[in-house]
Amino acid sequence: MTDLVSHAIAGELPAVRGRAFYLALQPDPVFAVLHLPEGATRAGGVGVLLCAPFGWDELSAHRSLRVLSMELAQAGFPALRFDLPATGDSGGSPRDGQLLDAWTAAVDGAARWLRSVAACERIVAIGIGLGGMLACRAIALGAPIDDLVLWSVPAQGTLLVREMRAFARLADAEMNRARVTKAQASAGVDAADGDVDADGDDLNVVGFILTPETVAALESLDLTQLELPDPSRRRVMLLGRDTLAADRRMREHFERSGVALTVSDGGGYGTMMVDPYLSQIPRALFARVLAWLQESEAPAGLLDGPASAPPAASEGIELTVGEAVVRETPLEFEFDGGRLAGVLTEPVSLDEAELCVVLLNAGAVRRIGTQRMWVELARRWAARGVPTLRFDVVGVGDSDGEEELYARRGAFQRREVANQVLAAFDELERRGLPGAFHVIGICSGAYWGLHAALADERVRGMSLLNLLAFFWSPELGALRDARRTRVLLAERELGTVLRIVATDRWRITRMARTKLRSARSIRRRNESQTRFDEQVIQTLDLMRARGLQVQLLLSLEEPLFDDFVANGLIDRLDEWPNLQLERIPTNEHIFRPLWCQRYVHEFLDGAIERTLSHRAARSTSD
């Protein structure tokens, strides 16, 4: 095996919170995190394999599965979670062929590795949605998995695909991509051809695609037609979702098979499967699953003979990107007594450029970026010689910190988070990488990147996508809300106002409070707006003086563009030649349509090229 295995056996891996590594599986390596108990494992040697759902559901559930893994390790159960091929931090592309087989092989390989390294007599797979279906298929094909916990797992792939299609249609309706307001039309912004998203025959599930081949493979999958070897020696826990019972056909199938079946509700599913920043940990359900695992009636392990060899494990992988080779390595560094986790992608077959790119979370979306865009960008730019780090800030993804840290509206717009970005710079320099940086972020990530750049001259360029404000405060938010409401009412967009009232009550409350304050003194409100404007101008002047290359990309209806128009800055952009402001013709905030993603990738490629060219020009002049 590898050093990782010997470390695990010797108890040298960090306990409970996990150690990241890669499994050498075919056709692509798989990113995994092992959580080990601090002391001895429980009697019986039970290990737990966590099989995540697909796409946006995986983003929402990721933090909960990390918490579950730590709770399992604290209770004495080694736990392994992993990203399926072509998802997360694993290798591969969603356009690869035979993904269903690759996914199933990854479940099998992860189970074999966990059984070997943790010396487990039994392996229990906990699967949600697609992850549960893959665990069932892997068992039928001989994977060394003994027992199952299946949460919201349909009996047939057609049901899973149907639900994905419904979710995609709902998201498309919410995005309302084709709408261009009068103000946008007067500003000369046209709807892009991509507003009718040209995805061909691909299924676009909120930015995560499934090819026709993968869809067809999933639709052909019927778990009730799969035989479980030795069913009398297996245990299955079947969970529904909140008020929706577990799939009836699944229940009947397991009852007929003779497994020891436990059926329960799946309370907490709905509050977990929401936008990542609102996702809540279903601790009550986790407690029930843990109690089920701790029951003493579990039979002896199913494997009577020697198991097939587990895959090799390594602390880094090499990937071929075009004609170049890049290396990816899990990276951890300390911040304020905790650990921040990321992945560093470096060139192997090319000389290293004198610049590092640092990619920041989009709110509570983990470091892979919205729709896995940061993984694609990191590998592409490492293949062009630029080392690239994507990492999770405190309380997000795989980093330490309270899970509920950002549940309150506006909690992400905090300047002090920039200190974590500066710590990432320090870590990269400590590892011998270039001490010049280009930072990229969406929304709150853009805010953190901006303030890291203002605090540290090592930043030479930054790309700020849908930045909400240069300096955020609830007061600024309320001023914007008031202005937006006046515009909508003037345009007789009453329906939009009513929708905001119904779905975003926090904005109405904030606006009402500010209205009461401003009713006492309109002059104070005007002074506040003037102060914000002056801060922005001073910041733009500072960035120009430093030669900091800045790219702003704003979707339609983004309030920062309205600020630039309202205070006259849109007509003064020539004063800041280092600033590029561009609008992308969509109302979508996190770029879920595929044409949006292509647009953003091209924009960011140009932005990094601009920073590299500026550095080269300065080096020549010096």
Side-chain angles (χ1 to χ4, degrees):
M1 296 287 280
T2 68
D3 288 342
L4 182 69
V5 175
S6 62
H7 289 338
I9 294 173
E12 296 176 12
L13 287 175
V16 181
R17 66 185 183 187
R19 173 68 177 270
F21 61 99
Y22 295 89
L23 292 173
L25 292 166
Q26 295 298 325
D28 296 296
V30 165
F31 179 88
V33 180
L34 175 65
H35 299 260
L36 287 174
E38 292 184 357
T41 59
R42 294 180 58 84
V46 175
V48 181
L49 183 68
L50 285 90
C51 305
F54 176 79
W56 191 259
D57 284 348
E58 190 279 330
L59 288 181
S60 299
H62 182 83
R63 194 70 180 174
S64 290
L65 292 180
R66 178 181 186 267
V67 169
L68 176 57
S69 298
M70 291 191 295
E71 291 184 353
L72 289 166
Q74 288 170 347
F77 299 101
L80 181 69
R81 52 191 175 88
F82 65 100
D83 294 335
L84 292 169
T87 75
D89 289 310
S90 290
S93 162
R95 297 194 184 281
D96 292 342
Q98 299 182 316
L99 268 187
L100 179 60
D101 289 338
W103 289 342
T104 307
V107 175
D108 173 80
R112 284 186 284 119
W113 189 88
L114 179 60
R115 183 183 289 272
S116 172
V117 75
C120 299
E121 294 183 16
R122 297 185 70 82
I123 296 294
V124 179
I126 299 178
I128 304 174
L130 174 64
M133 298 189 77
L134 296 174
C136 292
R137 187 171 188 259
I139 290 177
L141 294 176
I145 298 172
D146 302 272
D147 304 326
L148 292 166
V149 177
L150 303 176
W151 192 8
S152 185
V153 175
Q156 296 174 316
T158 52
L159 298 177
L160 180 69
V161 172
R162 186 185 307 165
E163 183 174 313
M164 288 179 177
R165 292 189 188 278
F167 184 37
R169 286 194 297 269
L170 177 62
D172 286 347
E174 289 177 351
M175 285 188 282
N176 192 18
R177 293 187 300 260
R179 179 174 177 269
V180 179
T181 67
K182 297 176 185 177
Q184 294 153 5
S186 65
V189 179
D190 298 320
D193 293 338
D195 272 336
V196 178
D197 212 0
D199 300 336
D201 296 325
D202 293 333
L203 173 57
N204 179 357
V205 188
V206 198
F208 294 89
I209 69 163
L210 294 171
T211 64
E213 177 194 318
T214 303
V215 169
L218 286 173
E219 289 181 326
S220 68
L221 184 57
D222 186 344
L223 300 184
T224 65
Q225 300 302 308
L226 301 179
E227 292 188 10
L228 296 182
D230 249 336
S232 63
R233 297 171 65 187
R234 298 185 186 274
R235 302 169 68 216
V236 175
M237 185 178 198
L238 205 55
L239 302 170
R241 58 168 83 171
D242 298 313
T243 59
L244 185 65
D247 189 296
R248 175 181 55 81
R249 281 163 292 191
M250 287 284 284
R251 178 172 183 165
E252 293 173 350
H253 171 62
F254 285 126
E255 287 174 341
R256 287 194 301 269
S257 71
V259 302
L261 181 64
T262 300
V263 180
S264 183
D265 69 88
Y269 185 90
T271 54
M272 179 179 67
M273 292 300 191
V274 293
D275 284 350
Y277 82 97
L278 292 173
S279 182
Q280 298 179 20
I281 311 298
R283 298 185 185 277
L285 185 135
F286 288 173
R288 276 190 283 134
V289 171
L290 187 59
W292 181 84
L293 288 170
Q294 292 170 330
E295 292 175 1
S296 59
E297 291 81 4
L302 287 163
L303 288 183
D304 297 323
S308 55
S314 64
E315 295 188 350
I317 56 169
E318 290 190 354
L319 301 169
T320 301
V321 181
E323 297 181 357
V325 178
V326 304
R327 179 188 301 109
E328 287 206 329
T329 310
L331 182 148
E332 299 173 356
F333 57 99
E334 297 299 314
F335 177 80
D336 197 23
R339 182 203 63 169
L340 302 185
V343 173
L344 176 63
T345 312
E346 301 173 90
V348 172
S349 56
L350 291 175
D351 291 337
E352 194 173 87
E354 295 182 1
L355 183 76
C356 289
V357 170
V358 176
L359 303 167
L360 305 176
N361 298 112
V365 174
R366 69 188 185 103
R367 61 175 176 264
I368 65 172
T370 59
Q371 294 69 243
R372 207 178 177 231
M373 289 177 64
W374 285 176
V375 176
E376 297 174 16
L377 187 147
R379 293 172 181 172
R380 183 171 68 252
W381 272 95
R384 296 170 70 169
V386 179
T388 303
L389 170 68
R390 56 187 187 270
F391 79 98
D392 295 315
V393 297
V394 168
V396 175
D398 288 331
S399 290
D400 293 343
E402 293 298 323
E403 288 71 39
E404 296 82 9
L405 190 61
Y406 306 104
R408 182 174 54 82
R409 289 276 192 171
F412 282 104
Q413 308 300 320
R414 293 163 40 204
R415 279 184 247 178
E416 60 266 27
V417 181
N419 293 329
Q420 300 172 45
V421 184
L422 303 184
F425 296 165
D426 294 340
E427 179 64 20
L428 291 173
E429 276 203 283
R430 189 187 69 80
R431 292 171 178 250
L433 292 165
F437 302 98
H438 184 109
V439 294
I440 299 176
I442 299 176
C443 191
S444 54
Y447 192 73
W448 307 330
L450 168 64
H451 287 280
L454 295 179
D456 195 323
E457 294 193 11
R458 288 178 293 178
V459 179
R460 308 301 170 83
M462 59 181 173
S463 302
L464 311 177
L465 284 59
N466 285 337
L467 174 69
L468 291 185
F470 277 56
F471 298 92
W472 175 259
S473 75
E475 184 180 18
L476 174 62
L479 289 170
R480 284 176 169 178
D481 291 339
R483 182 174 65 205
R484 177 66 175 149
T485 302
R486 288 195 301 272
V487 170
L488 290 172
L489 291 176
E491 295 179 352
R492 298 186 178 182
E493 295 281 356
L494 182 59
T496 302
V497 176
L498 292 177
R499 176 177 57 79
I500 292 173
V501 172
T503 62
D504 244 351
R505 297 183 184 276
W506 70 279
R507 293 178 65 186
I508 300 301
T509 301
R510 182 182 66 191
M511 188 167 60
R513 288 175 179 170
T514 302
K515 282 284 190 181
L516 290 174
R517 291 195 298 267
S518 62
R520 303 188 193 105
S521 174
I522 296 177
R523 180 175 57 84
R524 186 180 306 164
R525 185 182 67 190
N526 293 335
E527 290 174 350
S528 297
Q529 185 64 62
T530 300
R531 185 175 68 252
F532 288 127
D533 296 345
E534 290 176 348
Q535 283 182 304
V536 171
I537 293 172
Q538 292 170 1
T539 300
L540 293 174
D541 288 345
L542 172 64
M543 293 190 296
R544 179 186 58 200
R546 282 176 42 189
L548 180 60
Q549 300 303 297
V550 183
Q551 294 82 33
L552 275 172
L553 180 64
L554 301 175
S555 297
L556 305 182
E557 298 190 356
E558 285 296 322
L560 183 58
F561 185 83
D562 295 336
D563 290 350
F564 268 67
V565 172
N567 59 25
L569 292 179
I570 200 68
D571 298 321
R572 299 174 54 187
L573 292 180
D574 289 346
E575 296 180 25
W576 301 285
N578 60 311
L579 171 66
Q580 174 192 0
L581 190 155
E582 186 172 323
R583 301 183 81 190
I584 177 172
T586 180
N587 295 331
E588 169 62 12
H589 186 67
I590 57 171
F591 314 116
R592 288 175 289 188
L594 297 189
W595 76 266
C596 277
Q597 296 175 38
R598 292 189 288 269
Y599 192 115
V600 171
H601 277 300
E602 291 178 6
F603 176 84
L604 293 176
D605 286 350
I608 299 171
E609 288 280 13
R610 182 175 174 178
T611 298
L612 286 169
S613 297
H614 185 262
R615 278 187 55 72
R618 290 190 64 172
S619 298
T620 301
S621 64
D622 293 344

